[in-house]
Amino acid sequence: MESGFLLGFIERAWVGLIETYGPAAPFYLIAGMGVTFALLALPVALKKQRDPLDRFSFEDERLQGDLASLREDHDDGTLKGLSQYLEPTDAEEVGETRKMLRRAGYKGGSAVRVYFFTRALLGLGLLLFGMFIFLLVPEEPQAFFGMVMSGLFGLAGFLGPVWWIKRRIAQRTEDIQNAFPDAMDMMLVCIEGGQSLDQAMARVGKEMEHSSGPLAEELTIVSQEFRAGKERATVLRDFADRCGVNDISSFVTVLIQSQAFGTSVSQALRVYADEMRDKRLMRAEEKANLLPTKLTLGTMFFTVPPLILILIGPSFIMIIRALSGLTTGAMPG
């Protein structure tokens, strides 16, 4: 009897929803349940775990300021409760995603979770937004058209973060590539002035904070890892891997080979700095050579059509008037 009463109650509630909201009642019900579950899960997902290192007190103020930068993989606990649903199970895929986010400037152990959560949230949110838009218009569109457009909205929301990350990587890579030759010259001056490679990188990173923030940040991380006692070759390889710039990879190879064979670092940097200046000049010449082609396309699209209209327009109007006159004169006969 209880099961029959429950089924009857559900049936009456369902009929009431259909009568109140019309055919769109299932969509409103699903959306309401989704929003409710999301609100219930937010406190658990956004709960931050306490860092075990917070129990220790560092007397050295320099170490206190550098602690966050030294621990790039520090997990602040963001969306920790949803890690098993957001993070991929494949360790290789997680590593590739973390590398991509680091090259875009997003570091930390929770960056992967936030990235996948943003994709899922935007995809689902724009999908529901598209459904509501096509259900609230005065004239109800075709069901297939509404489903297709809602699916496109959801796909755009799901792929939007991927496009944003790739755009950030391209901008950051270009910024580092353009600023690296100047950093090489400054590093060479510091080394020839008697400073070590560690001190030179720290000084160059500090001096380039206003001209190139991404490169200054990476050089600061390298100098801090040197001070922490990490192996020099490993630090330099991680530096090249984070930046993803071919010039920096070659620079790291030069430093590692110079250390392995015992050659002078200043001499190696002097030769490599000359090569960097030549490469920068070649890139500038390449962009200058592309300029006439781009100007030609602009001229064709924005100059030729108005010119043709000015030259041929009057003649075309006269031809139309003459033809219309002939037609009018031939009608009475």
Side-chain angles (χ1 to χ4, degrees):
M1 182 176 296
E2 293 180 358
S3 60
F5 174 77
L6 182 60
L7 291 176
F9 175 76
I10 294 175
E11 183 178 359
R12 289 193 301 271
W14 181 258
V15 173
L17 285 174
I18 296 295
E19 292 177 353
T20 304
Y21 297 101
F27 296 101
Y28 293 136
L29 181 61
I30 294 173
M33 293 175 62
V35 172
T36 303
F37 290 148
L39 292 177
L40 291 176
L42 275 179
V44 179
L46 299 178
K47 183 179 179 181
K48 295 184 178 181
Q49 302 293 332
R50 185 178 180 182
D51 189 358
L53 288 181
D54 292 341
R55 297 177 298 174
F56 300 95
S57 59
F58 295 92
E59 297 180 358
D60 192 350
E61 296 181 355
R62 185 175 56 184
L63 287 178
Q64 287 182 351
D66 296 343
L67 182 60
S69 300
L70 285 172
R71 301 182 60 210
E72 290 185 19
D73 57 348
H74 169 62
D75 193 348
D76 57 0
T78 305
L79 301 174
K80 187 69 174 180
L82 301 177
S83 59
Q84 57 179 345
Y85 305 106
L86 296 176
E87 293 183 355
T89 56
D90 189 6
E92 184 177 356
E93 184 178 357
V94 174
E96 291 296 329
T97 306
R98 183 171 287 111
K99 182 190 297 186
M100 178 183 65
L101 293 175
R102 283 180 178 176
R103 288 183 177 179
Y106 300 104
K107 303 172 183 178
S110 61
V112 178
R113 292 196 300 270
V114 174
Y115 169 69
F116 284 107
F117 177 76
T118 305
R119 294 185 63 184
L121 182 63
L122 286 179
L124 182 60
L126 288 181
L127 178 63
L128 295 177
F129 176 75
M131 289 183 179
F132 288 144
I133 289 298
F134 286 101
L135 288 174
L136 294 178
V137 292
E139 298 180 358
E140 186 176 354
Q142 296 291 333
F144 179 75
F145 177 74
M147 291 175 60
V148 170
M149 294 304 297
S150 300
L152 291 178
F153 281 176
L155 184 63
F158 186 73
L159 298 180
V162 180
W163 172 82
W164 173 258
I165 292 298
K166 290 183 178 180
R167 183 172 177 270
R168 283 290 303 264
I169 292 175
Q171 291 179 348
R172 198 167 184 269
T173 302
E174 184 179 2
D175 189 0
I176 293 176
Q177 188 175 13
N178 293 333
F180 189 65
D182 297 332
M184 285 288 301
D185 293 335
M186 295 174 62
M187 200 178 302
L188 179 61
V189 171
C190 293
I191 291 178
E192 289 183 344
Q195 293 183 347
S196 63
L197 180 63
D198 310 353
Q199 296 173 343
M201 284 190 170
R203 180 61 183 271
V204 172
K206 184 178 180 181
E207 293 293 334
M208 299 196 68
E209 288 180 355
H210 301 288
S211 60
S212 177
L215 183 58
E217 180 183 356
E218 296 296 336
L219 290 176
T220 302
I221 293 174
V222 170
S223 63
Q224 290 170 353
E225 288 181 343
F226 281 152
R227 285 160 50 189
K230 197 173 180 180
E231 187 179 356
R232 185 182 298 269
T234 304
V235 172
L236 293 175
R237 290 193 181 98
D238 292 341
F239 170 51
D241 188 59
R242 287 195 305 269
C243 295
V245 180
N246 294 329
D247 295 341
I248 295 182
S249 300
S250 302
F251 165 72
V252 168
T253 303
V254 169
L255 290 182
I256 293 176
Q257 290 180 352
S258 176
Q259 181 184 3
F261 294 106
T263 58
S264 174
V265 176
S266 60
Q267 182 64 28
L269 288 181
R270 185 180 296 107
V271 175
Y272 193 71
D274 294 337
E275 294 181 0
M276 287 295 99
R277 283 191 290 269
D278 294 338
K279 286 185 178 181
R280 182 168 59 180
L281 180 61
M282 292 173 61
R283 285 195 295 266
E285 291 178 352
E286 182 181 358
K287 292 183 178 180
N289 293 332
L290 290 176
L291 188 60
T293 305
K294 296 180 180 179
L295 290 177
T296 302
L297 294 176
T299 303
M300 291 176 58
F301 283 108
F302 298 106
T303 305
V304 175
L307 183 62
I308 294 176
L309 184 62
I310 292 173
L311 294 178
I312 303 180
S315 302
F316 187 70
I317 294 174
M318 293 176 63
I319 292 172
I320 292 177
R321 289 178 177 177
L323 292 177
S324 62
L326 291 176
T327 305
T328 306
M331 287 181 62

